[in-house]
């Protein structure tokens, strides 16, 4: 019996990006199925008492940067610590991942590609043309995926994953 791991994440999280490839490899070695579930982290923070980065005390912001530098060095993963397009809306990128999952188009890999787009390539994942380009660059049909990302069932799944993450604490 294959085990399933629920993978809740924010598309633009540096921690998701730093851990993604290792997580995927661990799941693969364990023979686990990964249920890809991007969430609206602003809603999760609001429900859990967390604060968006800009609202955190300066000490916490500085410590986050120190930790990012440490993990970048430890893992040897190229990551831009303050990418040009970090604080952009991510709903459409998340919905693109959900659409890829619903269409069985390897949403797990697409998640990694979008993380790289933000943290290495400094691309704007709130821009529809960028999202379509990332999809095309990695062998997905951008028109099909974009249309699926607009579908009501995709939006409903994204909302459900966010609520599920909140409910599961």
């Amino acid at each position: 019996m294959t085990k399933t791991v629920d993978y809740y994440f924010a598309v633009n999280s540096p921690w998701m990006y730093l851990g993604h490839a290792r997580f995927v490899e661990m799941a693969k070695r364990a023979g686990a199925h990964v249920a890809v579930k991007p969430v609206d982290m602003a809603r999760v923070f609001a429900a859990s008492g967390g604060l968006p980065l800009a609202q955190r005390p300066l000490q916490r912001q500085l410590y986050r940067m120190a930790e990012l530098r440490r993990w970048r060095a430890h893992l040897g993963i190229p990551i831009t610590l303050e990418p040009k397009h970090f604080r952009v809306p991510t709903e459409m990128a998340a919905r693109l991942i959900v659409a890829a999952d619903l269409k069985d188009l390897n949403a797990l890999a697409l998640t990694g590609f979008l993380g790289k787009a933000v943290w290495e390539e400094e691309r704007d994942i709130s821009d529809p043309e960028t999202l379509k380009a990332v999809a095309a660059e990695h062998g997905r049909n951008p028109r099909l995926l974009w249309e699926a990302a607009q579908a009501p069932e995709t939006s409903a799944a994204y909302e459900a994953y966010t609520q599920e993450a909140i409910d599961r604490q």
Side-chain angles (χ1 to χ4, degrees):
M1 181 171 146
T2 302
K3 300 214 182 227
T4 297
V5 177
D6 290 329
Y7 184 26
Y8 300 99
F9 59 92
V11 179
N12 66 337
S13 167
W15 306 111
M16 179 282 290
Y17 180 63
L18 286 169
H20 182 77
R22 292 181 355 211
F23 169 74
V24 170
E25 183 55 35
M26 284 188 285
K28 183 178 176 181
R29 279 196 317 265
H33 167 73
V34 177
V36 179
K37 298 182 177 188
V39 300
D40 179 346
M41 196 54 71
R43 283 186 43 212
V44 173
F45 279 165
S48 66
L51 292 174
L53 183 59
Q55 294 175 17
R56 294 177 196 162
L58 180 59
Q59 288 173 314
R60 300 281 300 168
Q61 292 181 41
L62 294 173
Y63 186 71
R64 174 185 171 273
M65 290 304 284
E67 282 297 303
L68 285 172
R69 280 191 290 281
R70 284 185 198 131
W71 279 103
R72 175 180 63 184
H74 175 72
L75 297 172
I77 294 174
I79 182 172
T80 303
L81 297 178
E82 296 185 63
K84 205 179 327 183
H85 302 287
F86 168 57
R87 294 182 185 158
V88 298
T90 59
E91 181 177 351
M92 288 314 302
R95 287 174 58 175
L96 200 72
I97 292 168
V98 173
D101 192 42
L102 294 174
K103 296 285 185 187
D104 201 26
L105 296 173
N106 197 346
L108 197 54
L110 183 60
T111 299
F113 301 144
L114 288 170
K116 182 177 182 175
V118 173
W119 294 102
E120 279 188 48
E121 300 166 353
E122 295 192 78
R123 294 167 79 178
D124 181 358
I125 64 166
S126 69
D127 175 57
E129 295 310 311
T130 298
L131 292 173
K132 291 174 193 174
V134 170
E137 289 161 15
H138 297 286
R140 276 110 183 127
N141 179 321
R143 186 183 55 75
L144 170 78
L145 207 50
W146 185 253
E147 287 173 9
Q150 312 303 312
E153 59 270 18
T154 302
S155 181
Y158 175 60
E159 292 301 318
Y161 297 156
T162 299
Q163 190 58 52
E164 187 178 301
I166 291 167
D167 292 345
R168 292 180 74 180
Q169 301 180 12

